[in-house]
């Protein structure tokens, strides 16, 4: 734990050697303004033009490690590096300019799918971000995170329960296990397909390396694990489609949920079984990203139909 805290202490709410090194490395591809905020706090925004005929897309790269619980440097700081204020300003600008936005970051928002009542970031920051993301959900076309080393999705619901944003947590190329995550994962990489006009996420191709087999044969054989629309029988990866998918995962004796849980570990040891307590933990984390709705979901476990 001490080593982990020292590692995360390298990401403070001010100029640091890490931010400066990252800014210098990325300088050839970023605007001066993006380099400036990257150097100051590890975050930036920039528009890109994926195609000559399509509209520009704005990337907002958040430094969510500022909000990570083990990062003691930012403990009790209301808005580390003024990133939250900056985020609202950038999203408002995108709204006024009729831009679409992809939000990317390392540590995701919401609650961890493998342990209960633990947000991936400090609860205060999580609630602030969820409120901001809800307010600008019409601008945000997708959110992409990592950190957990697992393959999972989340759906941002508005306060009336309408799905308004799709969030993707991509698995890592490195396996990991801990006292909370006693099972490991296979390495994984993925490719997304998006609509070139709306930037809605349409599909993803998930590739994986069977680590056990690779170690036995001393050969890296990367394979297609699944195509998401085909694996779950959905039309695209828009919020409404993912919401319908989660309804299928939530159904009693769902045949899709074991597939989702296997993919969660990137097909590492397909004999894993997720009982009711495990299923509720997973399904609540997928659908409820703020504290009130998440706790309501968990507390209703005894009356839930999940089997």
């Amino acid at each position: 734990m001490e080593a982990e805290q020292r590692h995360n202490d390298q990401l403070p709410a001010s100029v640091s050697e890490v931010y400066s090194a990252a800014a210098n490395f990325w300088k050839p591809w970023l605007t001066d303004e993006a380099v400036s905020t990257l150097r100051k706090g590890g975050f930036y925004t920039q528009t890109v033009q994926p195609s000559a005929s399509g509209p520009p897309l704005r990337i907002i790269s958040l430094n969510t490690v500022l909000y990570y619980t083990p990062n003691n440097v930012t403990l009790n700081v209301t808005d580390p590096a003024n990133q939250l204020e900056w985020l609202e300003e950038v999203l408002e600008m995108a709204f006024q300019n009729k831009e679409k936005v992809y939000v990317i970051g390392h540590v995701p928002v919401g609650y961890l799918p493998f342990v209960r009542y633990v947000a991936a970031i400090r609860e205060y920051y999580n609630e602030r971000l969820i409120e901001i993301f809800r307010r600008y959900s019409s601008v945000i076309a997708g959110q992409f995170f990592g950190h957990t080393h697992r393959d999972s999705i989340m759906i941002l619901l508005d306060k009336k329960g309408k799905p308004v944003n799709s969030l993707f947590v991509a698995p890592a190329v490195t396996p990991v296990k801990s006292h909370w995550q006693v099972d490991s994962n296979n390495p994984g990489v993925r490719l997304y397909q998006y609509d070139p006009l709306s930037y809605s996420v349409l599909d993803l191709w998930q590739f994986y390396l069977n680590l056990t087999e690779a170690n036995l044969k001393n050969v890296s054989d990367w394979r297609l694990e699944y195509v998401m629309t085909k694996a779950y029988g959905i039309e695209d990866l828009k919020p409404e489609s993912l919401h319908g998918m989660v309804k299928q995962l939530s159904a009693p004796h769902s045949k899709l949920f074991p597939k989702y849980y296997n993919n969660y570990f990137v097909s590492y040891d397909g004999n894993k079984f997720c009982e009711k307590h495990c299923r509720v933990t997973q399904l609540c984390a997928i659908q409820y990203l703020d504290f009130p709705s998440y706790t309501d979901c968990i507390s209703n476990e005894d009356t839930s139909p999940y089997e």
Side-chain angles (χ1 to χ4, degrees), residues 83-187:
Q83 182 176 223
L84 294 171
E85 179 184 358
W86 170 87
L87 173 63
E88 292 185 275
E89 291 174 354
V90 173
L91 285 171
E92 179 61 28
M93 176 182 65
F95 175 75
Q96 296 295 336
N97 294 339
K98 295 180 169 39
E99 298 172 341
K100 289 297 182 182
V101 169
Y102 282 165
V103 175
I104 62 176
H106 180 70
V107 188
V109 294
Y111 286 79
L112 296 173
F114 53 85
V115 61
R116 293 192 171 186
Y117 297 107
V118 179
I121 58 177
R122 289 193 179 104
E123 189 176 299
Y124 165 77
Y125 302 126
N126 186 65
E127 297 303 300
R128 283 285 306 274
L129 285 170
I130 295 305
E131 187 274 325
I132 293 170
F133 291 154
R134 278 178 172 152
R135 193 169 0 123
Y136 290 99
S137 60
S138 64
V139 176
I140 300 171
Q143 299 189 44
F144 309 88
F145 300 97
H147 178 66
T148 66
H149 294 242
R150 304 293 190 259
D151 180 350
S152 62
I153 62 164
M154 290 182 283
I155 305 162
L156 179 62
L157 306 177
D158 66 15
K159 291 187 176 180
K160 296 181 180 179
K162 177 186 175 182
V164 293
N165 258 188
S166 301
L167 297 86
F168 304 90
V169 180
V173 294
T174 50
V176 69
K177 62 170 62 178
S178 66
H179 66 286
W180 276 349
Q181 299 186 95
V182 295
D183 294 308
S184 191
N185 61 284
N186 276 320

Side-chain angles (χ1 to χ4, degrees), residues 8-119:
N8 289 292
D9 284 351
Q10 295 179 36
L11 298 182
S14 59
V15 175
S16 74
E17 291 183 7
V18 174
Y19 298 155
S20 294
N24 291 336
F25 185 82
W26 284 93
K27 190 173 182 178
W29 303 284
L30 297 180
T31 64
D32 290 344
E33 181 182 358
V35 170
S36 175
T37 57
L38 182 57
R39 196 180 303 278
K40 180 182 72 173
F43 54 88
Y44 69 88
T45 184
Q46 183 154 317
T47 55
V48 294
Q49 190 80 35
S51 67
S53 58
L57 169 69
R58 179 169 293 279
I59 304 295
I60 296 179
S61 179
L62 294 178
N63 180 5
T64 52
V65 182
L66 290 174
Y67 313 135
Y68 188 38
T69 304
N71 189 359
N72 290 330
V73 172
T74 58
L75 185 64
N76 297 322
V77 179
T78 302
D79 187 5
N82 295 318
Q83 182 176 223
L84 294 171
E85 179 184 358
W86 170 87
L87 173 63
E88 292 185 275
E89 291 174 354
V90 173
L91 285 171
E92 179 61 28
M93 176 182 65
F95 175 75
Q96 296 295 336
N97 294 339
K98 295 180 169 39
E99 298 172 341
K100 289 297 182 182
V101 169
Y102 282 165
V103 175
I104 62 176
H106 180 70
V107 188
V109 294
Y111 286 79
L112 296 173
F114 53 85
V115 61
R116 293 192 171 186
Y117 297 107
V118 179

